[in-house]
Amino acid sequence: MSGTHVLAPIDGKVIDLGDVNDPVFASRKMGDGFAIAGTSGGDVLAPVSGTVIMVAKTGHAIGISTDEGLQFLVHLGIDTVELEGRPFEVSVAKGDTVEAGDKLATMDVAAITEAGKDTTTVVIVTNTKKKLDSLEVIPGTVSAGDPVAVAFPREAHPVAAAPVEPVPAPVDTLTGHDATARDIIAGIGGPGNVRSVTHCITRVRFYLQDESRADDAFVSDLDGVIDVVRAGGQYQVVIGADVEDVYDAVTDQLGTEVASETQPDKPRPTSPWGWVKYGFSEVIGVITASMIPIIGLLAASGIIKGILSLLMTFDVIDDTSDTFVIINAMSDAVFLFLPIFVGFTAAKRLGADPVIVAIIGGVLTYPSMMELAESGAPNEVLGMPLNADLFGLPFHMANYSYSIFPIIVAAWVASRIEPWLKRVVPNILRMIFVPLLEVVIVSLIILLLLGPVVMFISTGIASAIQGVYDLSPTISGLLIGGFYQALVIFGLHWAVIPLVAQDIASTGHSYLNAIISATMVAQGGAVLAVFIKTKAEKLKGLAGPAAISALCGITEPAMYGVNLKYGRVFITASIGGAVGGLLTGLLNVNMWGFTGSLIGFSSFVNPEGLDSSFWGFLIASGAALVTSFLLTYFFGFKDSDAEKSREVKKVRLGSREPVQR
């Protein structure tokens, strides 16, 4: 059996790993290896040939994977992560190929000693259990580059075997979000199993090489993780309010090249139903990526709109004042120029130039174009006015301000045309003529053909939803209120959110959003009951912030952290949502802003003056909150449920199957 020859990365005395002044390394929990003490520092050399798979952002640790699959970690000093990289200068990056003896970094021993840290350098095989048969270490004093050990790998294992071990930094050197990110990466099959990663409001979303290698039970049980969801071809780790910090830590450890606004290529379906699922997943993915960056802006604008309405209702200002003009511009700009913002974000997701597509959004919302859209009488055949012409060719000019879907289609068209233009336009002319041709071609395609079609379809869908609501607001409220949050579980609510945004943008209000608001309050009421009733400090610490989050319009921490986990709680919350939705429909509650739940109270103020919608909102929200709270408190939860949940997780730890909630 041939072995991998290992060189000393630095000079000093080779010592047994068990003699290292660190319990994690000494116990070999991270893998077998050796250490070098008493170094004089200087250049740090690659102990083996292979590919660099990890470089700690503080420079104190570097991981290398050999062709045989052995993963070596070179850890420079003990607890040196606390020095924030000051003693180290790294010469390689993740993805680089190195030969044994190549320079990896420099190590300033004097700076480490002055900081009171141990200079012992550790070399370990982090996937010892899976890949290493034995390691023969040669004791004694060595110089950097001297042979110091031979590692004998095991026979190759099938690809479908257990997850590849990651190359994390030692467990005692990472804390907070960095530790959470490290453990998530370990639980999803290691760095090599990650193709791409992005995030939304509450979730870090991974595209994995092989989803079967991710351990749902392990990941969902981590501190800082609320739950795990597999949907839309993504492995979604629900984090909550700290999602951006965890995402940043994940990309720091994996490398920024995996952070992508675009979804990586994945295998094409082989069946008709597979193509249906694939297409739906693609559409939801584009809508999600397009809307997430502007959801906060829409919510903030809705709140400003509500405050403006209150100021007018109580005669603080009137609609002829300069104050009104200024505040109204703040509240309406994001809706008026929605195609510009959505065009930018959609282009990033689809791989087109975001600035060019944003300019196309500007073409669609140009003031004189909006004036054209308001002119003309409907054509008897088409049912819409042919209110504009291009060189004598008549076409329907729609009002694209406040719209979402036409610019998403424009971004898709641009993503197809842009690569072709770059191939046919000479490099010397590309800087000017690619943007020029792309703006002209895509704008004309949308204005003359696809724009009117998309507006017709999206308006038809909105009218259909409104028609169903008009047939029976009460029944619609009951059904939507009872089942809407179930859509959130699977991420399908992203198919509804743009319709709500479009409805508010075009008509100024949304009855559907008023019902959705009641479901948010209900989820908050249920988790609030758990917070008050439980005596478990850990659960109380989770339920309290989750309740606040739900009452501020973000229900996922409540749902994944508590309500779904304890089964009956989600049912009682859904009953509360049904009650709130029923009363919302019965009282014909309308909503003029995007922000829902209790924090969105100002969204229920009619710009023409305070009316029954506001009082209906208070009644429906109060009923949803009280119903879900009381049902949960008396029937939906007891502390023994939490004990059972913990027992289930311990039994399922290491399972490759999702835990049933």
Side-chain angles (χ1 to χ4, degrees):
M1 179 171 57
S2 62
T4 298
H5 292 274
V6 185
L7 307 184
I10 203 160
D11 61 44
K13 181 180 180 181
V14 178
I15 63 174
D16 186 86
L17 201 58
D19 295 330
V20 174
N21 186 27
D22 180 277
V24 176
F25 288 131
S27 65
R28 288 178 163 81
K29 290 181 179 178
M30 291 193 64
D32 199 4
F34 60 89
I36 300 178
T39 182
S40 61
D43 289 347
V44 180
L45 308 183
V48 292
S49 300
T51 302
V52 177
I53 56 175
M54 189 276 289
V55 176
K57 63 181 179 181
T58 51
H60 74 288
I62 300 170
I64 301 173
S65 179
T66 68
D67 291 341
E68 296 79 16
L70 295 175
Q71 296 179 346
F72 285 80
L73 177 69
V74 181
H75 194 281
L76 305 176
I78 306 300
D79 293 333
T80 49
V81 67
E82 299 173 6
L83 303 183
E84 299 179 344
R86 291 187 294 276
F88 311 108
E89 289 186 11
V90 179
S91 306
V92 295
K94 181 182 175 183
D96 288 351
T97 300
V98 295
E99 297 292 329
D102 286 353
K103 180 179 175 181
L104 298 179
T106 57
M107 177 178 176
D108 187 344
V109 168
I112 296 173
T113 303
E114 185 178 346
K117 302 298 182 183
D118 190 334
T119 62
T120 299
T121 292
V122 177
V123 179
I124 58 172
V125 181
T126 58
N127 57 350
T128 290
K129 292 182 180 179
K130 304 296 181 184
K131 293 288 186 180
L132 185 66
D133 185 74
S134 64
L135 180 71
E136 297 180 1
V137 180
I138 305 170
T141 302
V142 295
S143 298
D146 287 349
V148 71
V150 181
F152 295 94
R154 293 181 181 178
E155 294 298 323
H157 296 284
V159 176
V164 175
E165 294 285 342
V167 186
V171 294
D172 63 324
T173 62
L174 293 181
T175 58
H177 301 308
D178 292 326
T180 300
R182 175 204 61 213
D183 294 339
I184 290 172
I185 294 168
I188 62 177
N193 198 33
V194 179
R195 291 187 293 161
S196 180
V197 60
T198 185
H199 75 93
C200 60
I201 297 174
T202 58
R203 312 180 196 191
V204 180
R205 298 167 177 255
F206 294 92
Y207 293 98
L208 302 181
Q209 301 285 359
D210 182 359
E211 286 197 16
S212 68
R213 293 165 62 182
D215 191 330
D216 294 11
F218 175 79
V219 176
S220 62
D221 202 36
L222 294 173
D223 288 339
V225 172
I226 295 173
D227 209 342
V228 165
V229 180
R230 297 173 184 253
Q234 299 173 339
Y235 190 85
Q236 303 174 7
V237 182
V238 184
I239 302 296
D242 294 332
V243 64
E244 290 190 11
D245 294 322
V246 174
Y247 171 78
D248 289 341
V250 166
T251 54
D252 282 343
Q253 294 177 34
L254 291 177
T256 54
E257 62 270 21
V258 303
S260 175
E261 299 291 341
T262 62
Q263 178 177 335
D265 293 335
K266 55 185 179 181
R268 291 296 192 264
T270 56
S271 66
W273 176 240
W275 276 106
V276 171
K277 292 193 296 183
Y278 177 85
F280 184 75
S281 171
E282 288 289 292
V283 171
I284 294 296
V286 171
I287 292 174
T288 301
S290 302
M291 293 298 296
I292 282 172
I294 62 171
I295 288 293
L297 288 171
L298 294 175
S301 297
I303 292 174
I304 296 174
K305 278 181 177 289
I307 293 173
L308 181 62
S309 298
L310 287 173
L311 292 174
M312 294 178 64
T313 297
F314 293 103
D315 295 326
V316 177
I317 61 173
D318 60 62
D319 59 7
T320 62
S321 67
D322 293 344
T323 303
F324 171 85
V325 171
I326 294 170
I327 298 177
N328 187 58
M330 294 177 185
S331 69
D332 201 42
V334 68
F335 288 101
L336 181 66
F337 301 113
L338 204 52
I340 297 176
F341 306 125
V342 175
F344 188 91
T345 57
K348 290 178 69 177
R349 170 61 174 78
L350 291 165
D353 188 316
V355 175
I356 294 177
V357 179
I359 292 297
I360 294 168
V363 172
L364 299 183
T365 57
Y366 198 72
S368 57
M369 302 288 271
M370 293 166 59
E371 292 175 7
L372 277 179
E374 300 301 323
S375 63
N379 182 275
E380 294 182 1
V381 177
L382 298 176
M384 60 179 67
L386 296 175
N387 49 5
D389 71 82
L390 181 69
F391 295 113
L393 175 66
F395 68 96
H396 170 66
M397 179 64 205
N399 189 339
Y400 295 105
S401 290
Y402 305 94
S403 68
I404 293 171
F405 297 107
I407 194 63
I408 292 179
V409 173
W412 177 82
V413 173
S415 71
R416 296 298 183 269
I417 289 178
E418 192 172 299
W420 175 76
L421 288 173
K422 288 180 178 178
R423 286 197 303 269
V424 300
V425 176
N427 288 343
I428 195 171
L429 302 175
R430 189 172 295 172
M431 180 180 293
I432 296 175
F433 283 92
V434 167
L436 168 65
L437 294 173
E438 189 172 341
V439 168
V440 172
I441 294 171
V442 177
S443 295
L444 291 179
I445 290 174
I446 296 301
L447 290 171
L448 299 178
L449 180 61
L450 296 182
V453 173
V454 173
M455 288 295 285
F456 179 80
I457 294 173
S458 61
T459 302
I461 293 173
S463 299
I465 293 174
Q466 185 64 47
V468 172
Y469 176 85
D470 291 340
L471 285 175
S472 177
T474 305
I475 295 176
S476 297
L478 176 68
L479 295 177
I480 296 171
F483 293 104
Y484 176 78
Q485 290 297 329
L487 298 180
V488 179
I489 299 173
F490 303 102
L492 299 180
H493 61 302
W494 284 108
V496 179
I497 287 176
L499 295 175
V500 171
Q502 178 99 21
D503 197 18
I504 294 174
S506 58
T507 68
H509 57 76
S510 174
Y511 289 99
L512 174 60
N513 206 28
I515 299 172
I516 293 172
S517 174
T519 72
M520 297 175 179
V521 176
Q523 292 291 331
V527 75
L528 181 63
V530 174
F531 169 74
I532 292 176
K533 187 173 184 179
T534 185
K535 295 180 176 61
E537 288 302 319
K538 183 176 180 180
L539 180 56
K540 191 179 286 288
L542 180 64
I548 295 172
S549 178
L551 298 178
C552 289
I554 300 176
T555 58
E556 287 166 304
M559 289 172 57
Y560 290 111
V562 179
N563 299 358
L564 282 169
K565 189 175 293 184
Y566 303 114
R568 294 192 308 277
V569 179
F570 183 72
I571 295 174
T572 55
S574 296
I575 294 172
V579 171
L582 184 147
L583 289 173
T584 299
L586 184 65
L587 300 172
N588 288 314
V589 178
N590 204 350
M591 190 171 175
W592 287 268
F594 190 81
T595 310
S597 199
L598 297 187
I599 198 175
F601 71 93
S602 64
S603 296
F604 294 86
V605 178
N606 190 332
E608 296 180 2
L610 203 62
D611 62 12
S612 60
S613 280
F614 182 78
W615 309 115
F617 154 73
L618 294 180
I619 294 170
S621 298
L625 181 66
V626 171
T627 301
S628 61
F629 180 91
L630 293 178
L631 287 177
T632 302
Y633 191 90
F634 291 109
F635 307 108
F637 175 81
K638 52 184 182 295
D639 269 333
S640 60
D641 295 335
E643 295 298 326
K644 291 178 183 177
S645 173
R646 284 194 289 271
E647 290 172 5
V648 169
K649 281 191 173 184
K650 289 177 181 176
V651 171
R652 298 297 301 279
L653 187 61
S655 168
R656 300 272 86 73
E657 300 174 4
V659 175
Q660 299 299 318
R661 302 291 181 195

